[in-house]
Amino acid sequence: MSIGVIFVWLALAIYAIIIWKAKIIDKKERKWVILVLALAIAVSVLAMQNMFLNGITSFLGNTFGRITRLVVKI
Amino acid sequence: MTQKISNYQLIVLVANFILSSSVISLPQIIVQVGEQNAWLVPIILYPIFLLMIFLIFGKTSKDEYKNLFAIGKRGSLLEKGFVFLFFLFVFLVLIRDLRAMIDFISSVLLPNTPLDILMILSILVIVYIAMSGLEVIARINGIHFFLLTLVTIIIPFLLINESELDNLLPLPNVSMIKALFQSSYVGFSWLGEFLLFLLIIGNVNPIKAARKAVIQGTTLGFFLFLIVLFFQIIVLGTKIVTEATYPAYILVQQIHLTDFLDRLDLFIVAIWLPTIITKIAFLFYAFNHCLSMYYKSNTNKFMFPISFILGYLSILLFKNSMEHLHFSFEVWCSLGLILELMILILFIIVKKSAKKKGLSNENESN
């Protein structure tokens, strides 16, 4: 596990504790907090496993990038 | 309470949107396509951008802008579509700029530091600024962009001994028109990021002078970009500019005032870095603002975890710096252009429908 991921998890844990203890979120906002925390942990795990999401950028390269290549020879 | 920014702050923000990220590697691709005449690109694009500003403003009142990005109101489908497009635009610019800054630090300043550590450290600084709000972002930008403007204006005097006017030859002729338009196509989406000001137009005080401020900001941004581009061509020549990843950095490395003052590049980078950090902080603010419309409360409680999500995405979406450059040069030219034009068209339509609604409400009340 890299030091970066450990730091991020620690920072997120402190954030969650502060948010919960200080009671600055209501019931409606709680689901959003859980969602963003889960997403942040998920992307940090992906980064730790070197699982890149470059399929998205490759797709954009094949679509919009092709339009550019039609106009300009790069 | 609505946060207010002055017209001076709007001027430097607009100029920052145009200059700070474009200056990293955009000259490379513009010069590759337009060769020694690429310095004409900002001059070609400037009138088009002025036209866009006049189309955006027209005859408008403050309320039209105020309601556009108002959180918690029920908007029409068109308005929601406009906000979604703006959200997508902000997201893509944010991911691209954050990765560009991290890659720059990684390859020039801290080559032995892992990317994720650089990302985390950058995010911590940026999110601290972004969470402080628009006024703080505008004030920080006001200080740092002023310094960057000074340095950019001084650059011609510092580099006069290194300039070689022969690098501009052959001079522009009819056969170069196609290449110039192609390089203008490449540059449009990057320089068109000045449209980010649409988010804060309701926060400008006084609103009447906002159009003038946006025009002045655009002029300043274009002028500074023109200086950098022109001096890259005449000092480095087209060959070095097209082959260097960061031609602007190589340009400032050419400054040799005396024997003991030849590392001014670090000083200039130290001035440029805060401006791009401020731009990314503004993008975080804009991202959070657009997201607030979906969970219908204006809060930055979620900004901290969201900033890490975006930071990691900027690493995960590009396997290496080459993929990022391909995205910036190939994908963004068309994708950015399409997004910017759609935002512009939708903005004008939404503004007109808001005006009609306002008129019909007035008639009903009478």
Side-chain angles (χ1 to χ4, degrees):
Chain A
M1 197 183 283
S2 73
I3 188 122
V5 174
I6 295 170
F7 180 84
V8 169
W9 286 5
L10 266 175
L12 291 175
I14 294 166
Y15 163 81
I17 290 166
I18 291 171
I19 284 270
W20 252 270
K21 286 269 179 193
K23 290 178 182 169
I24 49 174
I25 50 161
D26 54 29
K27 263 190 179 176
K28 204 181 89 185
E29 289 171 335
R30 200 174 294 164
K31 63 177 181 186
W32 286 102
V33 173
I34 293 167
L35 179 72
V36 290
L37 280 174
L39 271 174
I41 292 167
V43 286
S44 63
V45 169
L46 285 179
M48 192 171 65
Q49 301 294 327
N50 284 328
M51 290 166 74
F52 289 95
L53 303 171
N54 57 335
I56 299 166
T57 36
S58 302
F59 168 74
L60 291 172
N62 291 330
T63 49
F64 293 101
R66 189 174 287 174
I67 299 172
T68 308
R69 287 190 291 273
L70 284 174
V71 182
V72 189
K73 270 188 185 174
I74 298 173
Chain B
M1 202 182 93
T2 315
Q3 298 195 48
K4 290 285 172 197
I5 59 167
S6 68
N7 281 310
Y8 164 73
Q9 287 169 334
L10 182 64
I11 291 171
V12 283
L13 271 173
V14 171
N16 187 0
F17 298 153
I18 292 171
L19 185 75
S20 65
S21 56
S22 310
V23 85
I24 312 178
S25 46
L26 179 63
Q28 182 199 356
I29 193 71
I30 286 187
V31 173
Q32 191 182 325
V33 180
E35 296 179 21
Q36 73 282 355
N37 301 315
W39 60 274
L40 287 167
V41 169
I43 298 170
I44 294 170
L45 288 176
Y46 182 65
I48 300 170
F49 280 73
L50 279 187
L51 185 72
M52 280 167 74
I53 295 167
F54 280 107
L55 278 174
I56 286 167
F57 282 92
K59 287 177 185 173
T60 47
S61 67
K62 188 180 179 179
D63 291 338
E64 287 166 28
Y65 299 118
K66 235 183 173 179
N67 292 331
L68 200 62
F69 284 103
I71 293 163
K73 70 161 182 121
R74 289 179 71 187
S76 65
L77 199 67
L78 262 178
E79 284 175 30
K80 279 179 184 164
F82 171 73
V83 172
F84 176 74
L85 273 181
F86 200 85
F87 177 70
L88 194 65
F89 178 63
V90 168
F91 171 74
L92 290 169
V93 177
L94 201 162
I95 295 284
R96 192 205 63 197
D97 282 357
L98 187 59
R99 182 58 188 260
M101 190 186 78
I102 294 169
D103 275 347
F104 177 80
I105 297 172
S106 169
S107 55
V108 174
L109 302 174
L110 302 165
N112 294 325
T113 313
L115 275 188
D116 59 339
I117 299 294
L118 290 176
M119 180 276 289
I120 291 164
L121 294 175
S122 312
I123 286 290
L124 288 176
V125 176
I126 292 164
V127 85
Y128 179 68
I129 300 170
M131 282 174 89
S132 307
L134 180 63
E135 286 180 354
V136 174
I137 295 169
R139 274 188 232 129
I140 294 174
N141 187 55
I143 298 165
H144 291 292
F145 199 83
F146 174 72
L147 288 175
L148 185 70
T149 307
L150 273 184
V151 168
T152 314
I153 289 170
I154 293 168
I155 275 180
F157 302 104
L158 297 176
L159 284 170
I160 202 103
N161 55 336
E162 306 281 340
S163 305
E164 192 73 58
L165 281 171
D166 288 353
N167 286 331
L168 289 175
L169 299 175
L171 289 169
N173 54 52
V174 184
S175 63
M176 287 301 295
I177 288 176
K178 192 184 165 195
L180 274 175
F181 276 104
Q182 283 175 333
S183 52
S184 302
Y185 177 84
V186 173
F188 189 96
S189 55
W190 287 73
L191 302 173
E193 282 163 29
F194 86 109
L195 283 177
L196 286 167
F197 83 86
L198 288 176
L199 185 87
I200 49 166
I201 198 70
N203 301 60
V204 182
N205 200 19
I207 191 81
K208 273 187 180 173
R211 179 166 72 178
K212 201 177 162 192
V214 173
I215 291 172
Q216 285 171 342
T218 310
T219 311
L220 179 65
F222 269 76
F223 174 65
L224 297 178
F225 184 66
L226 176 68
I227 290 177
V228 174
L229 191 61
F230 185 77
F231 273 85
Q232 279 180 17
I233 294 168
I234 64 167
V235 172
L236 303 174
T238 50
K239 207 173 175 212
I240 295 174
V241 177
T242 51
E243 284 176 11
T245 316
Y246 304 113
Y249 183 68
I250 298 178
L251 179 74
V252 293
Q253 279 184 325
Q254 304 306 310
I255 300 170
H256 301 294
L257 283 182
T258 57
D259 288 341
F260 59 91
L261 255 180
D262 63 345
R263 286 308 304 271
L264 276 176
D265 50 327
L266 290 176
F267 172 72
I268 293 172
V269 167
I271 290 172
W272 166 77
L273 261 180
T275 60
I276 191 151
I277 283 176
T278 326
K279 185 189 173 187
I280 300 171
F282 176 83
L283 288 166
F284 268 112
Y285 170 83
F287 188 85
N288 185 56
H289 193 91
C290 291
L291 214 57
S292 298
M293 288 170 167
Y294 290 101
Y295 45 68
K296 288 191 170 104
S297 69
N298 190 10
T299 174
N300 54 19
K301 286 174 205 164
F302 315 119
M303 205 189 258
F304 189 69
I306 286 172
S307 63
F308 281 118
I309 297 172
L310 292 170
Y312 271 117
L313 278 179
S314 74
I315 292 178
L316 291 171
L317 284 173
F318 313 104
K319 211 169 187 175
N320 47 48
S321 58
M322 280 312 290
E323 272 195 7
H324 173 256
L325 284 178
H326 276 293
F327 177 83
S328 304
F329 292 160
E330 291 183 7
V331 178
W332 185 246
C333 296
S334 298
L335 182 58
L337 181 73
I338 293 167
L339 275 175
E340 282 157 13
L341 290 179
M342 282 171 78
I343 285 172
L344 182 71
I345 293 164
L346 269 181
F347 178 81
I348 293 165
I349 296 169
V350 167
K351 201 179 75 175
K352 279 198 172 168
S353 68
K355 208 174 188 179
K356 271 183 190 172
K357 258 187 200 173
L359 280 175
S360 61
N361 286 346
E362 264 179 34
N363 289 338
E364 277 172 21
S365 60
N366 288 335

